[in-house]
Amino acid sequence: MDKSTYALWFKRAVWLGIIADWVLAIPVIFAPERILDLLGLRPTQDPVWTAFAALLVLLLSLFYIPGANRPDRYRFNAWLAVFARPPGVIFFLVLYPDLYPPFGLLDGALFLIQFPLLLLTLRAAPPAETEADQALQAPLTDCSALWLKRTLWAGILADLVLGIPAIFWPAQVLDLLGMRPTQDPVWTAFAGLILVLLALFYIPGASQPYRYRFNAILAVLARPPGVLFFLWLYAGLYPAFGGLDALLFLIQFPFLVKTMQLIPERRFRDTHLFEYQGTTFRYVKDAAFSGPYDEQALPCHKGLGPSTLLQFINDSARNMHDKRDIRPRYDKLIHAHGVCYAGVWEIDQDSPYTGYFAKSAKGLLIARASVAGPLIRQGHKRSFGIAGKIFPTLDPEEWVWPANFVTVSDLSGSRAPYVLDIEMTNYPRVGLSPPANLINRVIFRLMDTRPGYRQLFPISTLGLKPGERVVTPDLMRLVPATGTRRVDAKDFRDEIRLAHYEGGRLVYDIQVKNFAETVWTRLGSMTFSDDTVSEGSDKRLHFWIPRDLPNLPKQV
């Protein structure tokens, strides 16, 4: 077998252990006595310690994931994921024998499977660390990374000081601390053992937070579960432990956020966000249409998740300042999947507004239609949107500053079978979805006064000279032109390809109104005449989202 085959089987073996840990640990957190009875094992005499040990096992298993997926890159995690099993064997079969032997046997079996596979995987793997990896360290002047390291090490030392003696003398440690005596020392001791193993997994993140970002992030985020456990789920028994976790989290989290914002250039590779000098339609289209996908096997991109939350916060802040149209390759974490269009923006009705909302305004257009999140197929609740760049020219080679706009539907999504039936505006309703509320009412609110309000002034100022009068509508809505056919397709990217529409064109009406008005007014249309589903669109095309202007009226 080649190295990829060994790595695949090692990944499967570690994930088998991770899933086994989850299946056992998650229900035990909430119902320890019932689960042990269901398994036919010795009843616990102190459910709080059984449940806490299960919580620690769950957290520990999360640290196995990088080593399982990338053992050559995360060798420390891979080795420790395997060697975290023998301590369980020794604990349940030697140190505390005859109480829960199946747990020791399970750890032993997993170790015997995983260890030889890890040896075979790493024997054929490339070197563990390249010069580029070594460069991913905090610079000497980076005080945030230095203090993150110090606070993480403070947590590691606290865990080791509490955990190591608790393995061998659980009752004496609690008595020394003046806390409630344990009624079942074996589970208190096992919690001490897992606490020590967790502390070992924190070490790479505390030593090299850029190279071992996953460990650093999870080392900080492992603290809130302890707070919830001791101060809410099992309140009043050991509040000091919950207080300790809360204190460490409140100290570590700000340094973690700041450290990840200062991540080295190799991470983002595009630090020139203030150097925008305009572009041409041809350049943007060529870049956005580059790397077309196989239309018979459209990819599914990874989006927002726990490991990319900090990147998402950074990118959200960047979008309000970065005017570039094309960036070096990057991941869109919300609207990861889309269809890119080229066409024309045209205003053909009388209009009181200025710029490219004025009558007879006509320019080239690049747009991207996308769905927020991973639920992109028919039948799911989908939040559909179109972002666009209006070029104040019909010459694809002319150097200009385009205007960006963003329209989105209800952010909690719609189950409409066709995305063309989903209404989009520049001020979408948030809805009841918890993720949508977290992102828009909490995260985005930290960065802007009306985070859900996408500005229209880039359009109303497009083509104007300095000092000229500017009149901007408050709201814009995009609606498919009357008579546009609907296409039945599972993936929205198949639904809205231009080949399905008459003449290979898709037309959207441009409608506007002010906050005080109830009726939408049609001003013109967007006509899409060329399209692609490509890596350039998904990974390089960028839309500037300007900050809210304080002199604009607030919606009543």
Side-chain angles (χ1 to χ4, degrees):
M1 291 193 294
D2 60 20
K3 65 180 182 181
S4 62
T5 304
Y6 293 134
L8 175 62
W9 280 102
F10 174 72
K11 178 180 179 179
R12 291 171 175 172
V14 177
W15 270 104
L16 175 65
I18 293 171
I19 294 171
D21 289 342
W22 291 352
V23 169
L24 288 171
I26 293 175
V28 170
I29 295 172
F30 303 99
E33 295 163 301
R34 188 173 301 176
I35 300 304
L36 291 177
D37 179 63
L38 183 65
L39 295 174
L41 298 176
R42 166 186 175 270
T44 178
Q45 306 304 312
D46 201 341
V48 63
W49 283 110
T50 312
F52 183 56
L55 174 64
L56 295 179
V57 168
L58 176 64
L59 294 174
L60 183 67
S61 67
L62 298 179
F63 282 94
Y64 301 166
I65 294 175
N69 294 340
R70 292 280 309 277
D72 57 323
R73 172 69 172 80
Y74 292 97
R75 294 195 175 205
F76 184 95
N77 292 60
W79 280 110
L80 202 52
V82 173
F83 277 93
R85 299 297 176 179
V89 177
I90 296 171
F91 184 90
F92 286 114
L93 300 184
V94 178
L95 195 58
Y96 291 89
D98 303 325
L99 295 178
Y100 299 98
F103 294 148
L105 295 174
L106 175 62
D107 274 340
L110 289 170
F111 175 76
L112 292 176
I113 295 171
Q114 295 170 358
F115 181 62
L117 288 172
L118 179 60
L119 289 178
L120 293 170
T121 298
L122 296 185
R123 186 178 65 179
E129 187 170 283
T130 65
E131 291 183 5
D133 291 324
Q134 293 172 2
L136 280 174
Q137 308 307 323
L140 294 178
T141 56
D142 184 352
C143 295
S144 295
L146 176 62
W147 279 103
L148 174 64
K149 293 179 182 181
R150 290 173 175 174
T151 55
L152 286 176
W153 272 108
I156 292 169
L157 293 176
D159 290 342
L160 294 177
V161 167
L162 289 171
I164 292 175
I167 298 172
F168 305 99
W169 309 285
Q172 292 87 334
V173 170
L174 290 177
D175 181 62
L176 183 63
L177 295 174
M179 295 184 176
R180 168 186 174 271
T182 178
Q183 307 302 313
D184 201 337
V186 64
W187 286 112
T188 312
F190 185 58
L193 173 64
I194 304 301
L195 190 64
V196 171
L197 293 175
L198 266 176
L200 297 180
F201 271 107
Y202 299 164
I203 292 175
S207 302
Q208 300 180 15
Y210 291 132
R211 172 167 166 73
Y212 294 98
R213 290 184 294 276
F214 185 94
N215 294 60
I217 293 169
L218 200 54
V220 175
L221 298 183
R223 299 296 175 181
V227 178
L228 294 175
F229 185 90
F230 286 114
L231 300 184
W232 177 64
L233 194 60
Y234 290 89
L237 297 177
Y238 299 98
F241 293 146
L244 176 62
D245 273 340
L247 177 63
L248 288 169
F249 176 75
L250 292 174
I251 296 172
Q252 294 169 353
F253 185 70
F255 292 125
L256 175 68
V257 172
K258 190 62 177 177
T259 297
M260 294 305 156
Q261 288 176 336
L262 296 172
I263 207 160
E265 183 178 352
R266 181 175 176 269
R267 168 72 165 156
F268 293 109
R269 306 187 303 279
D270 58 338
T271 58
H272 306 296
L273 59 134
F274 297 112
E275 298 184 6
Y276 182 74
Q277 296 295 328
T279 188
T280 68
F281 173 84
R282 177 74 64 201
Y283 170 75
V284 175
K285 181 184 177 184
D286 287 349
F289 277 54
S290 64
Y293 299 132
D294 179 354
E295 297 188 7
Q296 303 304 313
L298 295 178
C300 290
H301 301 303
K302 179 182 177 182
L304 179 62
S307 65
T308 55
L309 179 59
L310 287 173
Q311 179 188 343
F312 172 67
I313 295 173
N314 290 336
D315 288 350
S316 300
R318 174 190 292 267
N319 279 351
M320 293 188 292
H321 304 282
D322 191 348
K323 296 181 176 65
R324 289 173 300 169
D325 306 289
I326 300 298
R327 282 177 52 186
R329 190 183 188 279
Y330 74 106
D331 294 327
K332 292 181 174 70
L333 299 178
I334 299 295
H335 290 265
H337 309 90
V339 175
C340 191
Y341 296 114
V344 173
W345 169 286
E346 182 174 12
I347 303 299
D348 54 22
Q349 301 295 313
D350 290 333
S351 166
Y353 307 110
T354 58
Y356 267 62
F357 282 123
K359 186 176 182 180
S360 301
K362 187 175 183 179
L364 296 171
L365 176 71
I366 293 291
R368 182 174 183 267
S370 59
V371 165
L375 304 179
I376 63 175
R377 299 178 70 81
Q378 196 176 50
H380 292 139
K381 294 193 72 173
R382 300 180 289 185
S383 180
F384 183 61
I386 292 180
K389 296 179 180 293
I390 306 166
F391 294 77
T393 179
L394 294 175
D395 179 359
E397 308 296 342
E398 184 179 354
W399 196 273
V400 295
W401 282 51
N404 290 258
F405 68 85
V406 176
T407 58
V408 191
S409 68
D410 185 313
L411 299 175
S412 293
S414 166
R415 293 193 186 276
Y418 311 110
V419 293
L420 292 191
D421 291 332
I422 302 177
E423 179 180 298
M424 299 170 291
T425 74
N426 65 310
Y427 203 175
R429 178 177 174 271
V430 176
L432 300 177
S433 166
N437 278 272
L438 173 63
I439 291 171
N440 288 274
R441 299 190 188 279
V442 179
I443 296 177
F444 287 173
R445 187 64 179 82
L446 297 173
M447 306 170 192
D448 211 351
T449 54
R450 285 181 293 175
Y453 185 49
R454 279 73 175 178
Q455 297 290 330
L456 298 178
F457 71 80
I459 303 176
S460 63
T461 58
L462 188 64
L464 298 185
K465 297 178 180 178
E468 288 188 323
R469 186 174 69 100
V470 177
V471 183
T472 310
D474 293 329
L475 300 171
M476 180 173 74
R477 181 172 72 171
L478 301 180
V479 180
T482 302
T484 301
R485 65 168 299 199
R486 301 300 189 261
V487 177
D488 191 25
K490 293 295 183 182
D491 190 322
F492 85 97
R493 293 173 291 184
D494 295 322
E495 175 187 344
I496 57 175
R497 297 304 299 272
L498 297 182
H500 298 308
Y501 302 99
E502 184 177 354
R505 294 171 179 266
L506 177 59
V507 180
Y508 270 87
D509 285 338
I510 304 164
Q511 302 178 355
V512 300
K513 72 173 185 175
N514 291 315
F515 288 136
E517 298 172 343
T518 58
V519 178
W520 291 91
T521 300
R522 180 189 177 278
L523 294 184
S525 63
M526 299 188 309
T527 302
F528 302 138
S529 55
D530 196 3
D531 71 345
T532 187
V533 182
S534 65
E535 182 171 356
S537 168
D538 287 348
K539 300 294 184 180
R540 297 197 63 201
L541 184 62
H542 176 257
F543 296 92
W544 172 48
I545 301 177
R547 294 179 65 90
D548 195 13
L549 291 181
N551 61 335
L552 287 178
K554 299 292 189 289
Q555 185 174 17
V556 178

